[in-house]
Structure formats: C-alpha cells, structure tokens
Amino acid sequence: MTNRTDTSSDTETGTGAATTTDAATTASDTEASTAAPSSSGESGRAGLKSRAKWYVLSYPLFWLVAVFFVPLCMLVVFSFWENVPGGQYQIGFTLENYARFLDVGFTSTWPFVEPNLYLGQLWLTIELALVTAGFSLVLGYPMAYYLARMDRPWLRSLLLITIISSLWVTYVIRAYAWQVILASGGVLSSAGVALGLLDEPQSFYPGYWGLVVGMVYVFLPFMILTLYSSLRNLDGELLEASKNLGAGPAKTFRRVTLPLSKNGVMSGTALVFILALGSYVLPRLLGSSAQRTLPVLIEQQVMSESNYPFGAAMSIGLIVVVLVFLWVLIRVTNVTTASLGGTEEIATDGGSQPARSSAPGPLTRFRSGLGTAATTVGLTAAGNRLGSALDSLVTRIDANTRESIIWVAFRTYVAAVMVYIALPLAIIIAVSFTPEEFLTFPPGGFSLQWYAEFFGTEAWRTALLNSLTIAGAAALLSTTIGGGLAFALDRFDYGWGTIYGTLGVLPILLPPVIIGVAFLVFFLELGLAGTHLGIIIAHGIFYAPFPFILVSQGLDEIDRTYEEAAMNLGASSLRTIRTITYPLIRANVISGALFAFILSLNEYIITWLLSLTLVETIPIEIFSQLRYSYPPTIAAASVVFIILTVVVMTAIDRLSGGIWE
C-alpha cells in the first residue's frame, strides 16, 4: 500500500517518464486479472470503448445545449411575444417589439432619416466599441511588442501578472477607480490645477471621453495579451534577416513584423470590440444620460420596466451586430475563422494562399476599388515616400545609438502604460485607509476602520460569503463542463466535432447582458430566477470555455506513450485516466478552475439580472452603494477583492509552471 501511494504521488508531480512508468507498473500489479483491452470495438486513445463516446459527451452536451443553447432559442421566441402593461406578457406572435426597436423617422434634411432612441443608442454603442478597439490597438501594440522581445523572463512575468490581475478585477471596482480619478476633486483635476492647466477643479465624468478612457483602461489588457501571444511566436531570425539585408526599423516593421502579427491584430480588435459592445457597468457609472448604451437600455427594460419581450428583441439586435461584425472582419481582411482564433497562420508575400473562388465577391471588388482609388489620387505613393523618408531618417543614426534610443523609448512607453494600468488600483488601495467619513484622495491619514466595518457588517459578510460560495460552485461546474467536453473531443472522433467545439467557446463570444437576459427568461419558467442555484448554473456555463481551452491544450501536449504503457501492463481505462492522464494535465485543470473562480467572483451584470435583488454579492453591493453614496467601505471591499485576484492569478502561474510565458 505504501509503494502504491508513493508512486501515485510521484506521478502527480509530473517528474518524468520513469515515474510514470512506475505508476503504470503499479496499476498493472493491482489489476493483473484485467485483460488489456483489445483493439476491436474501441474508439479513443485511452482504450475507452466506442459505446462510451456518447456517455462521455452527454454530460457537457446536456449543459451546453439544454441549459445554454435552449435559452438562447427561447430568447428569440420571447422577442415575438406580446407585452402587457403592468409587467406582464403573453404568448403570441408580433413584430411590434422589433418595429419599436428599428423605427426611424424621415426628415427633409440630410441624412433624411432620424433614428429613434433605441436605434440611436445602438449606433452610439457601436461607435464606442470601435473607438475603444482602435485606441486599445494603438496603445497595446508597442506594449505587447516590448513584452515579447524583452530578455528578462522574471520581469516579463511580473508585468504580465500585473496586467492580468488588473484584467480580472471586476468592472465595478475599476469604474469606481476612474470615478475617483476623474471627479472634480480627483487626481486629474487636482493635478491640472496644481500645474496651472485648469483655473478651478473640474469633473471629467460623466461624459463621452471619460467613458472612453475608462473603457480603454478596462479592455486594453485583452488587446495586449492577444497581441503578445501573436508577437511572441514570431521567428526572430526573420527580423534579423531583414536587418542584415539593409531594411530599416520602419520598413522591417511594415514588411515583416506587422504582416506576421496580422492574426493577433484581427483577433485582438474583434475581441475588444465584442467585449466593449456588451459593456454595461462602465457606461452606467462613467457615462452621462446621453451615453446610455444598448446594454444599459436592455437592463432597464428588463429590470425597471419588466418589458421582457422588448428587452429580448434588443438583445437579438445586439447579437446580430456581433455576427455581422465578425463576418465583415473575416471577409474584408481575408482572415479565416480559424486564424481569427489563432490556430491558422496567415500567409505572407510569397507564401501559399488558401484556394478561393475565381469570381471575386462584392467585398473583394470593394477592396480592389479602394486600392485603385488610393493609387489614382497618389495616397499609395505618398505612403511609400513617407515610409522611405522615415527609414532614411532612422538609418542616418549609428546602429548602436539607434537601438539605444528605441529601447529607451520603449521602456518609457511601457512604464507609462503600466502606470496607466496600475495607478487606479493603487489609488483605491490608498483611499481604503482614509480616516475620513467620505472618499478623499489623497487620504488625510491612516486608519483600518473601514476594513473593520467591512468584516463587521452583516450585509458585507453575507455578500462576501455569497460571492465565494457562488464562485466556488461555478468553478466546479465550469471545470466539469469544459474539461469533459475537451476530453471527449480529444479521445473520440465525432461527425459534428467542429460544432461541439464551437459550443465549447460560444458562451464567451456573446455579451454577458444577453446571456443574463436569456437565462432570466429561461429560469423564470423553471422557478430558478432569484436563487443561488440559478446564478451558479449561469456562471458555470458562461465561464466553461476557459477550462475547455486550457484542458484541450493540456491533452494535446500529453505524450501518449505513458498511457499506452499503462494499458499494455493491464491498467483499465479509468485507472489509466486517474493515475496517468489526470496528473499530466492537473495544472491545466486547476488553472481552468481558478480562472472560472476569479471571473465568477467578479461578475456583475449576469448576477444582477438573475438575482432579482434577492441575492447580494460583493460586486452588486459595491455597485448599489456607488449609485447612492460613496462610503470608504467600498474601497476596503475593493481591496479585499484585488488581493483575492492577485493571489489566485499568482497561484495559476505557479501551478502551471509559468502559464503567462
């Protein structure tokens, strides 16, 4: 018995082939009477019987189809139902909800149409998402390039953990941080007065540009990480070859670096656009009444007006915008869906291109027409001359001096971006120690009274307990759904494997406000709305893609000879999975569970919609108090969540052996 325990422990540490072979030998000793499974009637790499393929798939498929896809379909059906004044609705079929949403008026002046409130706010939502994606790309590319090229792994890991930790802090806390910065008595206004740039204190929120600054701050880490993943995989020899052939830094970037990182640019732009399109908290807290985006209007129709059919119709409109954007992005850029996800490389000049129809489509002709027009008016030639002038200017400087200037500029820029990312959270931490009764920065002293109030008040303790309970249960559910689907698709061949894989990542491609409304409609029929169980199920499904992606990666990297050795020595399929497969992917499983935990812990809009004000969590409690008052207890609660986030993200990095690398 002692020998078996030691062997299993060694196997779980992943120390090498010899240890794994010992585990396989132990398994064969304990199950010597079990014959090795024959090759006939099997379909799966771990010796699982072919009849088991549907058993393995049935569990994740139940959650993703019956409990996720069905509510989305119900949302479509619900959008055609009739609303009854007084918060009621009835089964029927009407186009009134869509007519109200899409209604436009006609005028005698350009542009001859006047969109109604809802359609106008849809255009504003799209505009804000595009502006956010554009600024995030411009700010994030140099940062990602520097991180990918720096030669100090410990510093790179520190910067990445800082970026990622800020990313997983709830939107409510980060919006609150920017309220402190942009308020009339905040950091920005005080600095402006001190420097003589402002005559008197001025508030920079609520308003359009204050909202843009906050949204770029929140979604910039997504862009940086996506671009970093793409730039990290660039072959450094190609850049060196370009330099040796006489190309300057500008030409090397334009002709080599940028084309090879096109995948990351497209993926990051699409991701930030979709996330910004579905943002609710930031427009609600940083925007004025003129910046009430479509997610805000959807929440108001559902929670304030109880007009569920109209809220469903607007949700379908938002889904259509996401789908159209992805379709246009793929068609215009000639990037396939696979390459958008980072699984297919983009061919550069001279490389093979995927076969396409000989008849050009309308978008292809449109791109060709734009290129011809640019050449006709001289824009192409002007761009080439500008690039050549920049190359000439840069190459006049000594190579060593040039490299020094570039890296000093990069370091300065990186420092500025890191200050932009870390400063709001640092301000929240400082404010939490103020001895005063209201939020002030800088704090007038040092006191722990607000932490004592946070842990001593029943409402805050209940919210914290609810948050931890929901996040823990949701992480377990997410891991079983995502991990189970990853295992099924890795071990068996399914006719609709691509569709099943798409279902595995679909939840994170939809704005959370839509997921919240869909589940609310579904759970109202089941009686689960306003319960802990309903929120756990929604979180578990919404964050299942993270364990799915990480476990899929771990299974793909497994050396199959270890499993084959165990089975050849007589271990059963389940014994092989328990003693060989799981220890090898344990870091991926735990990392996926921790991702789901921290995301569920910080989630607001889905929780708010499903809670029906009956379940309180920390994000809900913070958001509620931000609408009515600004007690420093909010800052103390935010710091507690920031610490939890940093601890969990550091644990993921350690358990995975450096996942951020």
Side-chain angles (χ1 to χ4, degrees):
M1 178 65 69
T2 304
N3 184 32
R4 179 187 306 175
T5 303
D6 294 340
T7 304
S8 177
S9 177
D10 291 339
T11 303
E12 292 182 357
T13 60
T15 56
T19 306
T20 309
T21 304
D22 290 341
T25 304
T26 302
S28 66
D29 291 339
T30 58
E31 301 185 19
S33 60
T34 303
S38 61
S39 59
S40 61
E42 292 179 357
S43 174
R45 299 186 183 92
L48 297 175
K49 303 293 184 181
S50 58
R51 66 177 178 271
K53 63 185 297 185
W54 298 113
Y55 297 152
V56 176
L57 184 64
S58 61
Y59 175 79
L61 211 58
F62 164 77
W63 291 103
L64 293 173
V65 174
V67 192
F68 172 67
F69 190 69
V70 168
L72 290 179
C73 294
M74 286 185 60
L75 190 66
V76 177
V77 174
F78 212 73
S79 66
F80 294 101
W81 286 15
E82 299 178 7
N83 181 62
V84 178
Q88 301 295 322
Y89 49 85
Q90 62 184 13
I91 299 175
F93 181 84
T94 178
L95 297 176
E96 180 183 349
N97 299 313
Y98 288 98
R100 180 183 176 189
F101 176 53
L102 300 174
D103 181 42
V104 295
F106 295 95
T107 64
S108 59
T109 58
W110 176 260
F112 305 116
V113 293
E114 183 179 357
N116 67 358
L117 169 65
Y118 305 106
L119 202 56
Q121 297 311 103
L122 173 61
W123 299 134
L124 174 65
T125 305
I126 296 173
E127 176 189 328
L128 284 169
L130 289 174
V131 170
T132 301
F135 276 111
S136 298
L137 177 60
V138 172
L139 293 176
Y141 199 105
M143 181 73 184
Y145 183 85
Y146 178 81
L147 289 172
R149 289 286 165 257
M150 67 186 310
D151 54 1
R152 285 180 285 184
W154 68 269
L155 180 58
R156 178 168 55 240
S157 294
L158 178 62
L159 295 177
L160 286 171
I161 289 176
T162 302
I163 293 171
I164 294 168
S165 296
S166 69
L167 185 151
W168 300 130
V169 174
T170 179
Y171 292 171
V172 176
I173 294 176
R174 286 182 281 175
Y176 161 54
W178 278 103
Q179 284 186 341
V180 174
I181 295 174
L182 299 175
S184 59
V187 178
L188 192 60
S189 178
S190 300
V193 172
L195 295 174
L197 301 177
L198 296 176
D199 295 331
E200 58 183 14
Q202 177 181 341
S203 177
F204 296 94
Y205 97 95
Y208 183 90
W209 289 109
L211 175 57
V212 168
V213 169
M215 292 184 69
V216 171
Y217 169 78
V218 166
F219 299 118
L220 178 61
F222 290 98
M223 180 67 76
I224 292 175
L225 294 175
T226 305
L227 292 171
Y228 169 77
S229 177
S230 177
L231 292 168
R232 182 74 171 156
N233 295 324
L234 290 184
D235 189 349
E237 294 182 356
L238 294 176
L239 304 179
E240 191 66 27
S242 175
K243 179 180 177 181
N244 293 336
L245 291 173
K251 180 175 288 186
T252 298
F253 173 79
R254 191 174 67 252
R255 299 296 297 274
V256 180
T257 305
L258 187 58
L260 290 177
S261 61
K262 182 180 178 182
N263 229 12
V265 171
M266 295 300 104
S267 299
T269 301
L271 179 61
V272 171
F273 175 84
I274 292 173
L275 292 173
L277 195 71
S279 177
Y280 167 83
V281 172
L282 296 164
R284 185 67 177 79
L285 293 179
L286 296 179
S288 66
S289 58
Q291 283 86 48
R292 291 294 182 257
T293 58
L294 198 62
V296 175
L297 296 181
I298 292 174
E299 186 271 343
Q300 289 177 348
Q301 287 297 319
V302 172
M303 299 300 292
S304 300
E305 304 294 332
S306 297
N307 192 340
Y308 295 98
F310 186 51
M314 288 196 292
S315 299
I316 299 303
L318 201 58
I319 292 177
V320 170
V321 171
V322 173
L323 296 178
V324 170
F325 170 78
L326 291 175
W327 180 82
V328 171
L329 184 70
I330 292 171
R331 292 299 302 271
V332 170
T333 60
N334 286 333
V335 179
T336 65
T337 306
S339 65
L340 190 61
T343 58
E344 179 181 297
E345 296 195 13
I346 295 182
T348 55
D349 293 343
S352 59
Q353 296 285 354
R356 295 185 179 273
S357 173
S358 58
L363 289 176
T364 301
R365 293 193 296 270
F366 177 70
R367 289 197 309 273
S368 177
L370 285 179
T372 302
T375 302
T376 302
V377 300
L379 290 178
T380 303
N384 292 334
R385 287 195 298 270
L386 178 60
S388 300
L390 289 174
D391 287 339
S392 176
L393 177 63
V394 172
T395 53
R396 291 177 187 174
I397 306 174
D398 176 74
N400 293 330
T401 304
R402 184 170 65 244
E403 292 293 333
S404 299
I405 293 174
I406 290 175
W407 281 109
V408 167
F410 260 123
R411 290 188 181 97
T412 304
Y413 179 83
V414 168
V417 172
M418 292 307 299
V419 168
Y420 175 63
I421 291 174
L423 181 61
L425 302 183
I427 290 175
I428 292 300
I429 295 174
V431 168
S432 69
F433 295 105
T434 181
E436 302 176 22
E437 295 294 326
F438 300 97
L439 291 175
T440 55
F441 186 86
F446 181 85
S447 174
L448 296 175
Q449 63 173 316
W450 305 114
Y451 289 93
E453 180 173 330
F454 172 76
F455 289 106
T457 304
E458 183 178 357
W460 283 108
R461 290 201 309 270
T462 301
L464 179 61
L465 180 61
N466 287 340
S467 295
L468 293 174
T469 303
I470 291 172
L476 179 61
L477 180 59
S478 293
T479 305
T480 58
I481 295 173
L485 181 63
F487 182 82
L489 296 181
D490 180 79
R491 299 292 146 146
F492 300 105
D493 294 325
Y494 296 96
W496 289 0
T498 302
I499 296 178
Y500 300 147
T502 302
L503 274 176
V505 298
L506 182 61
I508 60 173
L509 296 180
L510 296 177
V513 66
I514 295 176
I515 300 296
V517 173
F519 274 120
L520 179 59
V521 170
F522 185 57
F523 288 159
L524 281 173
E525 301 298 323
L526 298 180
L528 291 176
T531 66
H532 289 73
L533 180 59
I535 298 174
I536 290 170
I537 292 174
H539 285 200
I541 294 176
F542 187 60
Y543 296 120
F546 291 94
F548 171 67
I549 293 170
L550 289 172
V551 174
S552 296
Q553 180 184 5
L555 290 169
D556 188 58
E557 296 172 353
I558 283 182
D559 188 344
R560 305 295 180 184
T561 57
Y562 297 155
E563 297 175 322
E564 293 171 359
M567 290 187 293
N568 290 336
L569 291 172
S572 66
S573 300
L574 293 179
R575 182 71 174 179
T576 300
I577 294 171
R578 186 169 62 86
T579 61
I580 306 297
T581 308
Y582 173 73
L584 292 175
I585 63 171
R586 182 180 58 179
N588 299 76
V589 174
I590 295 177
S591 297
L594 290 177
F595 264 117
F597 174 83
I598 203 65
L599 288 166
S600 174
L601 194 70
N602 288 290
E603 209 287 319
Y604 170 76
I605 186 60
I606 295 177
T607 310
W608 166 246
L609 288 171
L610 295 180
S611 70
L612 298 181
T613 69
L614 300 176
V615 179
E616 292 290 332
T617 63
I618 291 294
I620 290 178
E621 189 71 19
I622 293 176
F623 189 91
S624 298
Q625 296 207 21
L626 282 177
R627 287 188 294 181
Y628 305 113
S629 61
Y630 287 82
T633 315
I634 298 175
S638 301
V639 172
V640 172
F641 258 44
I642 292 171
I643 293 173
L644 282 173
T645 301
V646 173
V647 169
V648 171
M649 301 310 294
T650 304
I652 293 174
D653 187 63
R654 295 295 178 87
L655 288 170
S656 62
I659 189 174
W660 315 130
E661 291 297 310

